[in-house]
Amino acid sequence: MNLTPARLSPRDTLRTGATGLRTRRLRAALSALGIAIGIATIVVVVGVSESNKADLLAQLDRLGTNMLTVTPGSTLTGKDARLPETAVEMTRRIGPVQTASAVGRLDASVRRTDKIPAAETGGVGVSATTGDLARTLQVTVERGTWLNTATARYPTVVVGSVAARRLGVAEPGAQLWIRDRWFTVVGVLGAAPLAPEIERSVLVGWDAAKTYLGFDGSPTTIYERSAPEAVGAVRGVLARTVNPENPEEVEVSRPSDALAARAAAAGTFTDLFLGLGAVALIVGGVGVANTMVISVLERRREIGLRRSLGATRGQIRTQFLTESLLLAGLGGTVGCLLGAATSAGYAVASELPIALPAWVFGAALAAALLIGSLAGLYPAVRAARVPPTVALATI
């Protein structure tokens, strides 16, 4: 007589595996919570990182990557070099260049009143500027106006956003004390991500700086924008164009590289926090394993009864492994929902774009199921090895 082993359909397997979860709901919920915390951590880390990266890339798109800066380097003897007074005009003569402007750093202190000691500058510098600087940097004037042909010749200034806060300048019309005379504020600038030094500066017209502050006309930084497809070519000729006699004394850089580096650095921190999320997930897996081991010990009589009624070892293993996978799947699903909600809330609160890639949910659920299968493997094998007679004899 041939005996046919009992068979379980996938539906019966799921129903049998869910029995342990339904009968021990609190323990199952606490175990699933450990998995959920680990998964939520991973989803939040990826979501926050992607939102910040998307904001940086959008900022790069708005500002453009076609701006180069020219600054003086060092001479062969190690001294600070100087850019020729004609450097800006020479830069504008390069064919693909769309706009070029410059600032010249001045050895002058700026103060809110003439009663403050000259040494207390608050980290705010004074620079001469050409008229098209705001257009080149794509910086907006939040309050007031930019220097025009008339005001650039008189003791008037435009204040960077950081400098305005440090000097207590709220509106145009305020007076600032620069090198023993009053200058009138005509405008306050917005943020300048590609030129943060401008945010901390008080800008004086090029001609006014020569007249009132002894400016020698030598620029310290030239900002240049060219056609995007010609940036490389322009970069290659800028040094020789600006200073034909000593091109080795000229340094050329692209400010947008700093924002790109910030995006890359954000990826490094993402890896670190993903590691922390993985640790939390492993801790949750240990909780699942502990729950399953206890479940096997508590249900030995059930195991013995099922074995005596014809259940095979493989079916017992499948039952407990299914239970572990259901537990991990439940925790993973809750963790994905919780992580997505937290990431979206952070993005909205921080005024960042919501950027949560779809792959993170698939990867998070796969990680949860992997942890669940590993956590439930040993308890499932242990349950399958319990002899029916011993299991039934357990009180």
Side-chain angles (χ1 to χ4, degrees):
M1 180 179 179
N2 295 327
L3 297 178
T4 303
R7 294 182 179 179
L8 286 176
S9 65
R11 180 179 178 181
D12 290 334
T13 300
L14 288 175
R15 186 178 59 186
T16 304
T19 301
L21 303 184
R22 291 197 303 268
T23 56
R24 297 166 179 81
R25 295 180 181 180
L26 180 59
R27 185 184 299 168
L30 292 176
S31 299
L33 181 61
I35 294 289
I37 291 174
I39 293 298
T41 302
I42 292 175
V43 173
V44 168
V45 167
V46 174
V48 170
S49 174
E50 290 298 318
S51 293
N52 281 286
K53 187 180 294 184
D55 182 60
L56 278 176
L57 294 177
Q59 195 174 24
L60 274 174
D61 291 339
R62 291 193 303 270
L63 297 174
T65 58
N66 61 333
M67 191 177 86
L68 300 175
T69 62
V70 180
T71 55
S74 301
T75 65
L76 293 177
T77 59
K79 297 181 180 180
D80 293 335
R82 286 166 47 93
L83 295 178
E85 294 185 34
T86 58
V88 181
E89 291 301 325
M90 295 296 289
T91 301
R92 291 171 179 161
R93 294 181 182 180
I94 301 175
V97 171
Q98 298 171 338
T99 178
S101 55
V103 295
R105 190 73 174 179
L106 299 172
D107 184 17
S109 61
V110 54
R111 290 161 287 164
R112 189 67 178 85
T113 72
D114 56 349
K115 308 300 182 183
I116 300 175
E120 297 182 11
T121 63
V124 177
V126 182
S127 295
T129 180
T130 55
D132 50 358
L133 180 68
R135 183 166 68 94
T136 303
L137 297 181
Q138 296 183 4
V139 178
T140 59
V141 181
E142 291 189 343
R143 296 182 293 277
T145 61
W146 178 251
L147 297 169
N148 54 39
T149 306
T151 56
R153 299 167 52 191
Y154 297 98
T156 58
V157 296
V158 172
V159 185
S161 56
V162 176
R165 289 196 300 270
R166 294 179 179 177
L167 293 170
V169 176
E171 297 294 337
Q175 298 286 308
L176 296 178
W177 185 257
I178 304 175
R179 194 178 286 180
D180 301 329
R181 71 170 299 126
W182 292 103
F183 282 71
T184 302
V185 177
V186 296
V188 178
L189 297 178
L194 292 184
E197 65 277 5
I198 298 300
E199 298 177 347
R200 300 185 296 272
S201 298
V202 171
L203 303 174
V204 184
W206 203 264
D207 293 335
K210 291 181 178 180
T211 303
Y212 302 106
L213 301 176
F215 178 46
D216 61 4
S218 176
T220 52
T221 304
I222 299 174
Y223 303 95
E224 171 275 332
R225 283 190 185 271
S226 54
E229 64 276 6
V231 171
V234 172
R235 192 173 189 174
V237 301
L238 260 178
R240 291 188 176 276
T241 303
V242 168
N243 192 350
E245 295 183 358
N246 300 293
E248 72 281 354
E249 297 179 358
V250 178
E251 295 182 357
V252 181
S253 63
R254 178 151 53 179
S256 58
D257 291 343
L259 288 178
R262 282 175 56 194
T268 302
F269 287 105
T270 299
D271 294 340
L272 172 62
F273 287 112
L274 282 178
L276 296 177
V279 171
L281 185 58
I282 292 174
V283 172
V286 172
V288 171
N290 181 62
T291 297
M292 296 307 300
V293 168
I294 295 176
S295 180
V296 170
L297 295 176
E298 291 179 344
R299 297 161 64 186
R300 296 185 72 181
R301 295 188 66 182
E302 175 193 334
I303 295 169
L305 181 60
R306 290 202 62 212
R307 288 295 309 280
S308 65
L309 293 176
T312 64
R313 288 186 174 183
Q315 290 170 350
I316 298 297
R317 282 195 300 268
T318 302
Q319 173 189 346
F320 281 89
L321 191 58
T322 301
E323 186 174 329
S324 178
L325 288 173
L326 288 174
L327 196 58
L330 175 63
T333 302
V334 173
C336 285
L337 295 176
L338 182 61
T342 304
S343 299
Y346 170 82
V348 172
S350 303
E351 299 183 351
L352 297 174
I354 299 175
L356 194 59
W359 62 262
V360 71
F361 297 108
L365 284 175
L369 293 176
L370 177 62
I371 291 294
S373 62
L374 293 177
L377 185 60
Y378 170 71
V381 172
R382 181 173 178 175
R385 289 179 177 178
V386 176
T389 54
V390 175
L392 288 173
T394 301
I395 298 178

